[in-house]
Amino acid sequence: MSKQNQWIVGVNAVASAIENDAENVREVLVEGGSKNPRLTEIEENARRKDIEVRRVTAQALSGVAGSLRHQGVAARYAAAKTWDEGELPALVEAAEGKALVLVLDGVQDPHNLGACLRSAAAAGVTAVVFPKDKSVGINATVRKTSAGAADRIPVFAVTNLSRCLRDLQQLGVWIYGLAGEAEQSLYATDLRGNVALVLGGEGDGMRRLTREHCDGLVKIPMPGDIESLNVSVATGITLFEAVRQRL
């Protein structure tokens, strides 16, 4: 489906798009006869912002939602807000020495990316960065899984991740990559200043060049017999350790 005809579905995803990026919401479909007050709220908010609202059948919603659970609402989205790589330095500088950047190197499962973005929004990250290639983009599944976080935080799909990491270092950002074989514990690492936390994708983890551009490698201590965590779980643990240190 082209970007111009992308559908986003689900209460949180649609409500967030209307609230944070209304100019790109072309129309909203609401299940007719529903008694859900959240749907009424979405419809009213959309009409206030001059967005066309149509009441349709549950079958019609299922047609645009595909395999996703629509929860009685869908929105036709013209274009997601995109951030240019050149805007990242200003965001880091505006954080005044407390930038927290999440870097995801090759996350390909949209559910994982959506969950990572949700944790990132909850942690108040400065930005999320991932490579354009070998990564899933911000699609309907990501938007739904992120519960609207994809519209709330700056997300950068960069052409050259290694170059982006070098640029962050030149801005005074310390870069720590998460690796199971690392000797240093995440919990023994100072995460209070300008910090970028790098997590690899499913299966292979961080790519070699990404690893080489990290200032240090850290691990989440795991006394159990599981070798690794799901990337979205590891992201949540890592980000909120940084949050804990900054409180």
Side-chain angles (χ1 to χ4, degrees):
M1 185 175 293
S2 69
K3 195 174 185 180
Q4 287 71 28
N5 292 301
Q6 183 182 37
W7 287 93
I8 56 176
V9 301
V11 169
N12 288 329
V14 174
S16 178
I18 294 171
E19 183 65 30
N20 297 290
D21 199 17
E23 65 181 18
N24 281 319
V25 180
R26 294 296 179 255
E27 66 174 330
V28 174
L29 307 184
V30 178
E31 183 178 348
S34 172
K35 304 298 183 183
N36 186 340
R38 289 293 307 280
L39 297 185
T40 301
E41 181 182 337
I42 287 173
E43 181 175 358
E44 292 175 349
N45 196 25
R47 293 188 187 281
R48 278 196 299 269
K49 298 191 176 187
D50 296 323
I51 299 171
E52 180 184 355
V53 178
R54 290 195 289 135
R55 289 184 171 271
V56 298
T57 64
Q59 184 178 7
L61 284 167
S62 295
V64 300
S67 61
L68 298 176
R69 184 165 171 261
H70 56 72
Q71 299 176 304
V73 66
R76 183 163 60 85
Y77 206 67
K81 176 174 175 54
T82 57
W83 291 79
D84 185 87
E85 293 181 43
E87 296 177 272
L88 184 56
L91 290 176
V92 172
E93 291 171 2
E96 298 180 339
K98 296 182 180 180
L100 179 58
V101 179
L102 173 63
V103 180
L104 299 170
D105 184 21
V107 174
Q108 298 185 23
D109 185 322
H111 294 94
N112 278 337
L113 179 57
C116 289
L117 292 178
R118 187 170 184 173
S119 292
V125 300
T126 305
V128 176
V129 176
F130 57 82
K132 286 182 180 178
D133 61 338
K134 301 185 184 302
S135 294
V136 65
I138 305 296
N139 59 27
T141 302
V142 172
R143 288 185 175 279
K144 179 173 174 57
T145 309
S146 76
D151 298 305
R152 296 179 185 150
I153 53 178
V155 178
F156 294 82
V158 300
T159 303
N160 188 317
L161 185 59
S162 295
R163 182 179 63 201
C164 181
L165 294 178
R166 288 196 302 269
D167 291 344
L168 286 172
Q169 287 171 324
Q170 291 175 0
L171 291 167
V173 177
W174 287 88
I175 299 174
Y176 296 103
L178 205 69
E181 73 279 9
E183 295 184 2
Q184 183 170 331
S185 168
L186 170 71
Y187 305 119
T189 306
D190 187 351
L191 304 175
R192 293 173 294 178
N194 282 333
V195 169
L197 300 170
V198 187
L199 290 95
E202 305 87 352
D204 296 333
M206 285 185 293
R207 292 175 292 179
R208 179 183 59 81
L209 283 177
T210 303
R211 186 181 294 255
E212 291 176 357
H213 282 87
C214 292
D215 294 302
L217 299 179
V218 300
K219 66 180 179 181
I220 298 173
M222 292 186 291
D225 58 2
I226 298 298
E227 293 183 357
S228 63
L229 296 172
N230 175 280
V231 62
S232 64
V233 174
T235 293
I237 292 171
T238 305
L239 287 176
F240 280 94
E241 171 58 18
V243 171
R244 183 192 68 80
Q245 292 187 20
R246 293 162 183 244
L247 293 177

